[in-house]
Amino acid sequence: MGILSRALRVTDGEEERQLSLTDYQGWVDAGLVRSSAAGVSVTPDTAMALPAVYACVRVLAEAVASLPLITYRRQGEGRARATDYYLYNLLHDQPNPVMTSFEYREMMMGHVLTWGNHLSEIQWSTNGRIQALWPLRPDRVEKVEQTPDGLVYHYRLPNGGIEELAEWQVFHVRGLSSDGIWGWSPIRMQREALGVGLAAQEFGARFFGNGTHMGGILSHPGVLGDKAFERLRTEMNDRWGGLANANRMAILEEGMTYQRIGIPPEDAQFLETRKFQVTEIARMYLVPPHKIMDLERATFTNIEHQAISFVVDTLRPWLVRLEQAIHSRLMSERERQSYFVEFLVDGLLRGDAISRSQVYSVGRQWGYLSANDIRRMENMNPIAGGDDYLMPLNMVPAGAEPPARALRALETMTPAGAAVEQRAVRSINARRRLQLANTETYREAAARVLRREINDVGAQAKKQLGQRDAAQFVEWLDDFYSEHRQFVITQMRAVMDAYLRLVAAEAGDETAAISEERLAAFVQAYLETYADRHTTISRQQVTDALATDDPLTALEQVFDGWRDTRPGTIAGNETVRGGGAITKIVYAAAGISMLRWRSVGDTCPYCRRLDGMVVSIEANFLAAGQDFQPEGAERPLRPGRDVGHPPAHLGCDCVITPG
């Protein structure tokens, strides 16, 4: 056998195969030739050694794999989740017995992003349904043949044999392609750019491996014999070569001199080359640099819009490609008429808390979103009666007649009085809508505040109380909550400012708007009052826990309440309290002198008794410490403050209107 013949025979695992002279990539994969002008082999496998390539592939693969993939049934102009359709669980949960849906889709994207194609063998049942999808390695496809009966895939098995798979046996997802049959490999199309990156990476590794010094020349005034030459070279490499010997001083004998050769890395712009390659690779995959932690030019002033752009410009084409591949290759023509699949990207397109609340407010006001629609988008459970849609006219359930009590009241009013009452009803429902839409944003902000308290107070308690130094811990608490007050204001400012302004606008539409200066001053004062109230409650609960026999256990119980229920309690109470307070300020600025208590929704005995009560705007509906026990109440309500506006108690959802 000649040299060329031996070179043409390569071993792949246990298989020995013949390379043709035209199989250039086979020669590259076999390591017989270099695949780029930079002198390094660039293949889908070697390219993954570049951190930027690995990061881009991982970001895209994990993003697609983590999105819910839902199968829907068409219903007229609508749709419903087809959980009873056999493909639903296959795509959503487990495509084969050994892989989860996440693992399968992550691998699928990895194949397409590196080899340009993904293939899976379809396992069919005897009744013509798909039982499983088994992934195939794209690099083992010898060729794809187009026949009158469709495509035929020639797949090389591990034992060297070739299996022919018909088109109906293969689930094929292609990347960008020139013929619509086989996708281009992004790695191979960009081998020169990636070759520069791999060469720079290899150069850096060798540079540091050689002791962070370039090579040089040793000059001897005489002539060295063979033994002396070998001894000198061995000694120089052992003593001064390698990273462990970097910066050691060399002692030269017999008049020898050292002359450094080569270009220092900084002169060759080594670091700049590596940085540029990161940008090039991010451009290749259309991934924003900040997604792969290249933060050199990141400002984060518009990070939300960059994230949305990533979904729309980068992810969406891949999602459409996968949806259409599933639709055309895993469903029959008859099934396509009734079913379709779609990735859910709503969670990735969510704006910040303020933006979402504004969108929800408009949608609820104009009747195309119900309370439960909003709650589902915020991953909250539905509420009773939350599926009703409201009409902009008077914000009652669409198609419903006004409540009988309201009709009777309107019948006895003058036209002017009826108009005032209609504006009041509209304002009540609008403010209630804002309260529901903003409750979750309040809860999220309160949870952030409480997480900091739990982490800091809990850590310090374990440290100080474990050393039996309760006095020092109490002193630390005073300092912490003094500083924590400003943190509360900072975290709650955006949420409260947006909500209070929206409520002020609704109340002002009913009467007259207040000035920006007065509104800003009220928001700041309310924030400071809330921060005082929050820190006082937290500080007292921690102090009470310290007075127990087992303060650390008692503190953990307090923290459990802070995690589980307190954020929701704060959200429900503060939306009502803040809404009532700003409404009263707006009314006072408009010259309104009397206030009327209005109950909303499912009211308790206390709120039913207060419903309709009219007091002076300078008076209170209930006095602090007053025992208030109306008919039907099991025990008296004793408020801890003067109640000049709702809430009268925790869970109260009432409002005020002009009296």
Side-chain angles (χ1 to χ4, degrees):
M1 183 182 294
I3 296 176
L4 182 59
S5 298
R6 287 196 299 271
L8 290 174
R9 301 188 68 81
V10 298
T11 300
D12 185 1
E14 298 179 353
E15 167 201 354
E16 186 177 71
R17 62 189 178 94
Q18 185 86 10
L19 290 176
S20 70
L21 293 175
T22 58
D23 185 9
Y24 175 73
Q25 189 57 45
W27 286 69
V28 171
D29 294 340
L32 300 176
V33 298
R34 299 281 187 173
S35 70
S36 69
V40 294
S41 175
V42 180
T43 69
D45 290 329
T46 61
M48 289 294 282
L50 276 173
V53 172
Y54 182 85
C56 286
V57 172
R58 179 180 176 183
V59 163
L60 290 170
E62 289 182 348
V64 171
S66 62
L67 290 174
L69 178 56
I70 307 300
T71 305
Y72 292 99
R73 178 182 291 104
R74 304 180 194 275
Q75 291 185 339
E77 296 182 358
R79 61 183 180 178
R81 292 196 180 196
T83 55
D84 57 342
Y85 179 47
Y86 75 95
L87 276 183
Y88 187 96
N89 290 332
L90 189 80
L91 299 174
H92 186 272
D93 300 321
Q94 195 164 20
N96 59 62
V98 298
M99 301 179 76
T100 65
S101 178
F102 182 98
E103 293 167 341
Y104 177 80
R105 284 184 275 145
E106 182 183 40
M107 176 212 60
M108 179 196 305
M109 283 296 296
H111 285 178
V112 181
L113 292 167
T114 52
W115 278 303
N117 298 271
H118 166 75
L119 301 98
S120 287
E121 184 175 0
I122 303 174
Q123 178 183 342
W124 295 92
S125 65
T126 55
N127 61 0
R129 291 187 171 185
I130 299 175
Q131 284 186 320
L133 298 172
W134 295 100
L136 304 171
R137 283 182 61 93
D139 58 332
R140 288 187 173 273
V141 177
E142 294 290 332
K143 66 177 179 178
V144 183
E145 183 182 3
Q146 195 165 13
T147 70
D149 296 327
L151 300 178
V152 176
Y153 297 83
H154 296 255
Y155 187 75
R156 180 164 42 87
L157 300 172
N159 62 7
I162 299 296
E163 181 180 1
E164 294 184 1
L165 298 172
E167 189 171 2
W168 59 269
Q169 294 176 283
V170 177
F171 173 50
H172 185 184
V173 180
R174 305 178 184 90
L176 184 62
S177 172
S178 62
D179 57 7
I181 296 176
W182 194 250
W184 282 330
S185 166
I187 302 298
R188 291 171 182 169
M189 295 300 295
Q190 303 297 324
R191 61 163 55 94
E192 296 301 337
L194 297 175
V196 173
L198 285 169
Q201 182 167 277
E202 183 177 345
F203 170 81
R206 294 184 182 277
F207 173 70
F208 286 102
N210 286 327
T212 69
H213 290 284
M214 298 291 290
I217 298 175
L218 278 177
S219 299
H220 193 281
V223 178
L224 294 174
D226 291 343
K227 291 184 178 180
F229 176 81
E230 287 299 327
R231 183 183 66 81
L232 178 60
R233 182 171 63 176
T234 301
E235 185 175 345
M236 292 298 293
N237 286 335
D238 290 346
R239 293 193 179 186
W240 294 286
L243 187 61
N245 296 319
N247 300 318
R248 291 184 64 182
M249 182 179 295
I251 301 175
L252 303 178
E253 304 176 273
E254 300 181 3
M256 287 189 297
T257 59
Y258 175 80
Q259 179 183 357
R260 183 175 180 175
I261 62 172
I263 303 175
E266 58 271 22
D267 294 341
Q269 296 186 337
F270 169 68
L271 294 179
E272 287 77 3
T273 299
R274 298 213 67 191
K275 289 180 181 177
F276 179 70
Q277 286 307 305
V278 172
T279 305
E280 282 283 87
I281 293 168
R283 182 182 297 119
M284 166 180 155
Y285 284 110
L286 204 63
V287 172
H290 76 272
K291 283 286 186 181
I292 57 174
M293 301 311 293
D294 180 9
L295 307 179
E296 185 174 1
R297 296 180 178 84
T299 62
F300 296 99
T301 55
N302 62 343
I303 197 70
E304 176 190 341
H305 297 91
Q306 290 185 50
I308 294 175
S309 176
F310 171 70
V311 175
V312 174
D313 299 328
T314 304
L315 277 186
R316 185 176 180 275
W318 288 110
L319 301 180
V320 172
R321 187 189 304 274
L322 295 176
E323 289 168 356
Q324 293 187 357
I326 292 170
H327 197 237
S328 64
R329 294 169 191 135
L330 297 183
M331 296 183 184
S332 67
E333 183 176 353
R334 182 176 180 180
E335 288 173 329
R336 289 196 290 269
Q337 296 175 2
S338 302
Y339 302 98
F340 67 97
V341 297
E342 186 176 288
F343 285 93
L344 299 185
V345 298
D346 294 350
L348 298 180
L349 294 173
R350 284 161 57 99
D352 55 47
I354 296 175
S355 301
R356 298 201 310 274
S357 67
Q358 291 173 343
V359 170
Y360 297 156
S361 298
V362 173
R364 189 80 171 106
Q365 176 179 350
W366 293 104
Y368 60 83
L369 288 178
S370 69
N372 283 342
D373 290 335
I374 297 170
R375 293 178 68 85
R376 276 188 288 268
M377 287 186 281
E378 289 295 318
N379 198 27
M380 301 168 65
N381 292 330
I383 59 175
D387 292 320
D388 292 330
Y389 292 87
L390 306 178
M391 296 187 300
L393 178 63
N394 56 5
M395 305 303 279
V396 298
E401 294 294 331
R405 185 178 62 177
L407 282 174
R408 289 194 299 270
L410 289 172
E411 289 172 356
T412 62
M413 292 180 181
T414 63
V420 171
E421 178 63 17
Q422 287 178 338
R423 284 199 304 272
V425 171
R426 183 171 63 247
S427 179
I428 291 170
N429 285 283
R431 280 181 275 152
R432 175 62 173 159
R433 166 181 50 79
L434 288 173
Q435 177 194 338
L436 293 173
N438 285 271
T439 296
E440 180 61 17
T441 61
Y442 265 75
R443 192 200 64 78
E444 290 175 354
R448 289 195 298 270
V449 171
L450 291 166
R451 276 197 297 270
R452 188 203 187 206
E453 293 180 59
I454 292 170
N455 292 336
D456 290 6
V457 175
Q460 193 68 19
K462 291 178 182 178
K463 177 181 178 181
Q464 300 293 344
L465 297 181
Q467 300 172 359
R468 304 296 181 181
D469 198 347
Q472 187 171 348
F473 178 58
V474 171
E475 183 178 343
W476 178 88
L477 279 177
D478 293 336
D479 294 338
F480 172 78
Y481 277 108
S482 177
E483 178 271 336
H484 186 63
R485 178 180 180 277
Q486 185 57 47
F487 181 82
V488 175
I489 293 175
T490 301
Q491 292 298 312
M492 302 298 295
R493 180 181 297 279
V495 175
M496 286 189 172
D497 183 77
Y499 173 67
L500 294 175
R501 288 176 180 274
L502 290 171
V503 176
E506 290 290 352
D509 184 60
E510 185 183 357
T511 55
I514 63 173
S515 66
E516 170 61 27
E517 293 77 12
R518 188 164 185 178
L519 178 58
F522 170 81
V523 171
Q524 180 61 33
Y526 188 86
L527 274 166
E528 293 179 358
T529 301
Y530 170 75
D532 289 337
R533 184 165 58 250
H534 179 96
T535 53
T536 298
I537 293 172
S538 293
R539 181 71 170 80
Q540 185 60 52
Q541 291 182 2
V542 173
T543 301
D544 292 344
L546 294 179
T548 63
D549 294 334
D550 188 354
L552 287 177
T553 300
L555 269 179
E556 280 302 321
Q557 293 174 351
V558 171
F559 294 159
D560 287 342
W562 288 4
R563 294 186 189 96
D564 298 339
T565 60
R566 194 174 172 196
T569 300
I570 291 173
N573 201 44
E574 292 304 322
T575 49
V576 176
R577 187 192 303 272
I582 189 61
T583 300
K584 189 172 181 178
I585 292 294
V586 172
Y587 289 168
I592 292 173
S593 60
M594 305 297 289
L595 299 179
R596 183 185 300 273
W597 189 284
R598 300 288 191 113
S599 61
V600 179
D602 296 329
T603 57
C604 64
Y606 309 109
C607 295
R608 282 198 298 270
R609 177 64 182 83
L610 290 170
D611 186 32
M613 181 183 294
V614 177
V615 300
S616 167
I617 198 169
E618 298 176 353
N620 297 307
F621 291 95
L622 295 174
Q626 172 185 345
D627 281 344
F628 179 60
Q629 187 173 10
E631 183 179 354
E634 296 181 357
R635 56 182 179 274
L637 173 67
R638 186 178 296 109
R641 63 175 180 86
D642 291 333
V643 180
H645 58 77
H649 55 81
L650 289 177
C652 173
D653 57 2
C654 299
V655 298
I656 52 173
T657 62

